[in-house]
Every structure is written in C-alpha cells, then in structure tokens.
Amino acid sequence: PDTVGVIGGGRMGAGIAQVFATAGAQVTVIERDAEAAGFALERVRDGVAKAAARTEGIEPETVLGRLTVSTDFSNLPAVNLSSRRFPKS
C-alpha cells in the first residue's frame, strides 16, 4: 500500500509503522495524547536506527520522512491499509 494508518503506536504499532515506512509507504500513526505520540515517534526512530545499523541501504532520514505521528484523527489521510494497535478495554 502507498498510505498506511496505524492507530496506536505502542511496540506493535510502532513496529508496523516502521516496516511500512521502510518499504516506502507514507505512514500516519495516531496516538491518544502528545506524550504517547512522543513515545511512539521514539520507538519508530529507535527501530529504524537499529535496522539501519544491521541492514545496508536503509536511510533513517528517508524512512522517518515518510512518518507522521499525530493525536488528531483528522490528520489521518485516506489510506490503503489501516491497523488498530491498542489494548481492548
């Protein structure tokens, strides 16, 4: 898919966002608040840095340039694929 939406940027959601952004998709991660959004961004940054250290050809700046993290669902564009990654209550 060209565009991916991930609702929830915990471990699993951040990993999904990383994989699709690395593969070339524009990815939007939606989180519940600014603090959670910051943690989600850091998780993806860390994952991309680790992947780049062990895999030739991954450019962290390029991958992260495909990523948007937001708390506002209106920032979620029309997507080809969406994934909900948060605990069920």
Side-chain angles (χ1 to χ4, degrees):
D2 297 328
T3 54
V4 176
V6 180
I7 316 247
R11 260 188 218 153
M12 186 176 287
I16 291 167
Q18 175 190 331
V19 166
F20 279 104
T22 300
Q26 289 297 128
V27 179
T28 301
V29 177
I30 302 294
E31 262 299 352
R32 69 180 177 273
D33 57 37
E35 182 179 31
F39 286 133
L41 180 58
E42 285 305 310
R43 280 185 201 98
V44 177
R45 278 187 185 148
D46 289 347
V48 170
K50 288 175 185 174
R54 67 179 182 264
T55 306
E56 192 174 318
I58 294 177
E59 297 291 331
E61 297 82 21
T62 301
V63 173
L64 294 172
R66 297 182 191 119
L67 178 72
T68 301
V69 180
S70 179
T71 60
D72 185 353
F73 274 90
S74 68
N75 289 330
L76 190 63
V79 297
N80 299 113
L81 177 70
S82 65
S83 175
R84 177 185 63 92
R85 297 289 112 204
F86 57 89
K88 295 179 182 176
S89 299

